[in-house]
Amino acid sequence: MIYCLNPNCPKPENPDETNFCLHCGTGLVRLLRGRYRIIEPLGGGEFGHTYLAEDLDKLNERCIVKQLTPGVQDSEALQKATELFEQEARRLQQLGLHPQIPTLYASFKENNHFYLVQEFVEGENLLQELVQQGTFNEVKIRELLNDLLPILHFVHSQQVIHQDIKPENLIRRQRDRKLVLIEFGATKQVATAIGTSGRIIGSFGYGPVEQMQEGNAYPSTDLYSLGATCFHLLTQMNPKSLWEAQGYGWVQGWQQHLKYPISHELEQVLSKLLQIDHTQRYQSASEVVPDLDLNQKQQPTTTVPPNFSVKQPPRLQLPQWKIGAGLTVIAIGIAINLTRMIPNTSPPPSPSPKPSQSTPTEPPKDSQPTPTESPIPTYLQNLDSTLKDRKWKEASTETFAVMLKLAGRTNQGWLDSTSLNNFSCSNLKEIDQLWVKHSDGIFGFSVQKRIYLATGNRLGTVGETDSQEWDNFANSVGWKDGNFDSNLITTKGHFPFFRRGNTNQIVKNINQILFTHCDRIITNS
């Protein structure tokens, strides 16, 4: 079978020996660019046609071919269209560097059509998965968010807005079960630029008001579409049908359509994603991370289909960028390998006494009850008492005093790289556990470390701090405006902090601290 590539052909299928289309008379092309053989059409619409193809130069490896047809005739307009096509193709090439975005193999013009050749991703999209497996539960939604948010973080860092996130454009890759994001708005922008202006980019129900009515797009535009996608998967209701009946008013009461309860915390995240006013939504993918991470510490009270078992989803990690050192980063750096040492948000219980060979059914009357918590070390009793009273600011001051004492730097009043060698993981672990325990998982070094990594920073590097990544972290934990004097602050990761003297300046650089020293301290503890 050979397919006619005339986008207006009513019936493109032709026998192999045919040279001209039997239905429209267009000359048939057996190999695009001498190497790509069309196998079958996958779909078409106002922005062009998509085909499954084989690449003869790569042992008949399958690929995707997208055809775009210019809607202009004069040479000047066609030249401009060609330039725009090449510009957007370069952008798609950059995006394809991400392992969960299809690679762009080629872009070219042939027989007055523009073509993009992309990686073929074998798997099923999430709409197909929804039909086959039924409603997603909270665990699967969290896994989706953990998988997709880092992709969006990368996309937006390339100054690109996808503009069409929906279940059909998310493929569960067969070989590793990772989500792959396809059908970028950049492709549709090419089509718009080369002659289909005036047509809307996006899908009704998934696209927010600023995109569908005003033609504007921001990172928060994609986040709205992400929220609408989660809604569809949680309810099996296409948001387009609700939009057609209620306009954007449907987002005000989206919870009523849930088939199963979800945790209040996840509901809050989705509600913020679905705000009608784009300024009221999360403004970046990284902003979602602290709230999502906080939710994972809660035990979701959800009813799920019997085919699924509730488990903790994998923790979200965004792409890592170069950073430098800071005082709070020092503590975070020391805590980088504490994941195994601090697996829970509360101190582990002491082991039960080993029973004797003839264990009685009841303990003797004079036996002592088994303690439920390890005793608080003497040097941490003041900190423990202050944290119990939820005096967070005073607890930060006490924490710093304890660290100075442990490092033998009380007289000097500050910490340097050498003094860090006086720390052991057990000391830092005990301090961190108290913070996490008394704040219900809101504060602590391990909490800050996760947020620090999730906002694009990286531990273990030597060099000056990347101010942009530090600012992302500072904004996430509420340090940016210097508002550190209230015990009422509940921003996740806000405490503990260390200021320079009596100022509202968080110290972020101390003599180029080498995180390798911190790693060595952890190893030796």
Side-chain angles (χ1 to χ4, degrees):
M1 187 73 67
I2 184 170
Y3 288 90
C4 176
L5 297 180
N6 175 6
N8 299 315
C9 182
K11 190 176 180 181
E13 299 89 350
N14 290 272
D16 285 333
E17 66 276 7
T18 312
N19 292 320
F20 293 90
C21 180
L22 299 177
H23 308 283
C24 71
T26 302
L28 299 175
V29 179
R30 283 175 165 73
L31 293 177
L32 279 170
R33 220 183 195 189
R35 63 183 288 184
Y36 303 109
R37 177 191 293 128
I38 302 299
I39 298 176
E40 63 176 296
L42 297 179
E46 57 186 345
F47 295 109
H49 288 71
T50 302
Y51 302 93
L52 180 63
E54 290 179 332
D55 185 350
L56 272 62
D57 284 5
K58 298 175 73 174
L59 301 177
N60 294 344
E61 179 181 278
R62 291 190 169 190
C63 57
I64 297 295
V65 172
K66 295 182 179 180
Q67 178 199 64
L68 306 171
T69 303
V72 294
Q73 299 298 327
D74 64 276
S75 58
E76 184 176 348
L78 192 58
Q79 176 61 31
K80 181 179 180 181
T82 302
E83 293 173 358
L84 289 171
F85 171 76
E86 292 174 350
Q87 175 183 327
E88 293 300 334
R90 282 192 292 271
R91 186 169 295 181
L92 288 172
Q93 184 180 38
Q94 278 300 116
L95 292 172
L97 297 176
H98 192 283
Q100 288 170 263
I101 296 175
T103 302
L104 180 69
Y105 292 144
S107 62
F108 56 91
K109 181 184 175 185
E110 188 171 306
N111 296 327
N112 295 320
H113 299 296
F114 294 105
Y115 290 96
L116 297 167
V117 182
Q118 291 182 296
E119 173 189 3
F120 170 69
V121 179
E122 189 170 0
E124 294 182 336
N125 66 49
L126 292 191
L127 184 60
Q128 294 169 320
E129 185 174 315
L130 180 66
V131 171
Q132 294 175 8
Q133 300 184 16
T135 307
F136 281 38
N137 61 21
E138 178 162 341
V139 172
K140 290 190 71 174
I141 291 298
R142 288 180 181 278
E143 290 173 345
L144 180 151
L145 292 170
N146 281 334
D147 214 2
L148 195 56
L149 283 169
I151 307 175
L152 289 181
H153 182 86
F154 170 79
V155 170
H156 296 160
S157 73
Q158 302 298 311
Q159 308 302 310
V160 174
I161 311 299
H162 185 280
Q163 300 188 66
D164 200 16
I165 294 174
K166 56 184 179 180
E168 298 95 310
N169 290 338
L170 292 166
I171 295 179
R172 178 97 53 197
R173 189 162 52 199
Q174 183 174 317
R175 62 179 169 85
D176 60 5
R177 309 302 294 165
K178 290 284 189 180
L179 291 180
V180 178
L181 183 58
I182 65 170
E183 295 297 337
F184 274 78
T187 306
K188 298 176 181 180
Q189 288 165 2
V190 172
T192 299
I194 63 178
T196 56
S197 59
R199 297 180 180 179
I200 296 173
I201 297 176
S203 299
F204 287 109
Y206 298 97
V209 61
E210 75 272 4
Q211 175 184 353
M212 308 307 288
Q213 295 184 9
E214 302 167 9
N216 296 323
Y218 316 98
S220 61
T221 301
D222 281 346
L223 296 177
Y224 178 96
S225 301
L226 176 60
T229 295
C230 291
F231 168 83
H232 190 171
L233 299 173
L234 281 167
T235 64
Q236 287 189 305
M237 293 190 66
N238 192 325
K240 181 181 179 182
S241 61
L242 294 175
W243 174 83
E244 290 172 340
Q246 307 173 39
Y248 287 98
W250 73 269
V251 301
Q252 303 297 339
W254 66 269
Q255 300 91 336
Q256 64 184 299
H257 302 288
L258 289 170
K259 289 184 176 292
Y260 301 98
I262 61 173
S263 66
H264 175 66
E265 293 77 24
L266 180 60
E267 178 186 334
Q268 287 183 314
V269 169
L270 297 181
S271 291
K272 191 167 182 178
L273 290 172
L274 288 170
Q275 288 292 311
I276 296 176
D277 182 351
H278 72 89
T279 64
Q280 299 302 310
R281 296 177 213 137
Y282 296 103
Q283 297 301 297
S284 68
S286 62
E287 282 188 17
V288 186
V289 176
D291 288 351
L292 186 64
D293 186 62
L294 172 60
N295 296 345
Q296 291 176 354
K297 289 185 175 295
Q298 309 296 329
Q299 188 71 15
T301 56
T302 108
T303 304
V304 297
N307 292 335
F308 297 110
S309 59
V310 177
K311 62 180 180 180
Q312 282 296 95
R315 218 173 266 291
L316 171 62
Q317 290 185 336
L318 292 178
Q320 299 176 337
W321 280 265
K322 179 181 178 182
I323 62 146
L327 181 58
T328 301
V329 178
I330 294 171
I332 299 173
I334 300 173
I336 183 63
N337 286 332
L338 287 184
T339 302
R340 290 194 295 262
M341 299 188 63
I342 316 177
N344 301 313
T345 59
S346 59
S350 299
S352 300
K354 184 177 179 180
S356 61
Q357 292 181 350
S358 56
T359 303
T361 57
E362 293 183 2
K365 292 182 180 180
D366 59 349
S367 64
Q368 297 297 320
T370 302
T372 57
E373 292 185 356
S374 300
I376 304 299
T378 302
Y379 77 98
L380 289 179
Q381 288 180 356
N382 286 340
L383 176 60
D384 180 63
S385 176
T386 306
L387 287 169
K388 281 182 179 178
D389 294 336
R390 306 182 78 81
K391 296 178 179 179
W392 312 124
K393 185 183 68 171
E394 290 83 351
S396 278
T397 302
E398 176 65 18
T399 297
F400 190 40
V402 169
M403 293 175 68
L404 286 173
K405 186 174 181 179
L406 291 172
R409 298 280 297 177
T410 301
N411 292 335
Q412 290 82 355
W414 201 243
L415 296 167
D416 57 18
S417 58
T418 302
S419 66
L420 288 175
N421 288 300
N422 292 310
F423 276 101
S424 71
C425 265
S426 59
N427 293 141
L428 191 67
K429 173 185 173 183
E430 289 171 333
I431 294 172
D432 182 71
Q433 283 183 331
L434 289 180
W435 273 100
V436 173
K437 169 187 171 183
H438 292 301
S439 68
D440 299 321
I442 301 298
F443 304 134
F445 294 127
S446 58
V447 176
Q448 292 171 346
K449 182 254 294 183
R450 285 193 293 272
I451 299 173
Y452 189 76
L453 292 173
T455 49
N457 292 282
R458 185 174 63 204
L459 297 173
T461 57
V462 180
E464 60 185 46
T465 301
D466 187 314
S467 59
Q468 181 58 53
E469 308 308 338
W470 171 269
D471 287 347
N472 290 341
F473 169 65
N475 281 326
S476 295
V477 297
W479 291 353
K480 188 66 174 174
D481 298 326
N483 182 23
F484 315 118
D485 292 322
S486 174
N487 280 315
L488 301 177
I489 292 175
T490 57
T491 302
K492 188 178 182 187
H494 187 78
F495 295 100
F497 59 78
F498 307 124
R499 295 181 295 187
R500 187 180 296 281
N502 295 321
T503 71
N504 272 355
Q505 179 186 359
I506 292 289
V507 178
K508 69 178 182 180
N509 288 327
I510 292 190
N511 302 326
Q512 297 281 332
I513 298 298
L514 304 180
F515 288 108
T516 51
H517 288 330
C518 300
D519 291 337
R520 181 167 59 82
I521 294 170
I522 294 171
T523 303
N524 293 339
S525 62

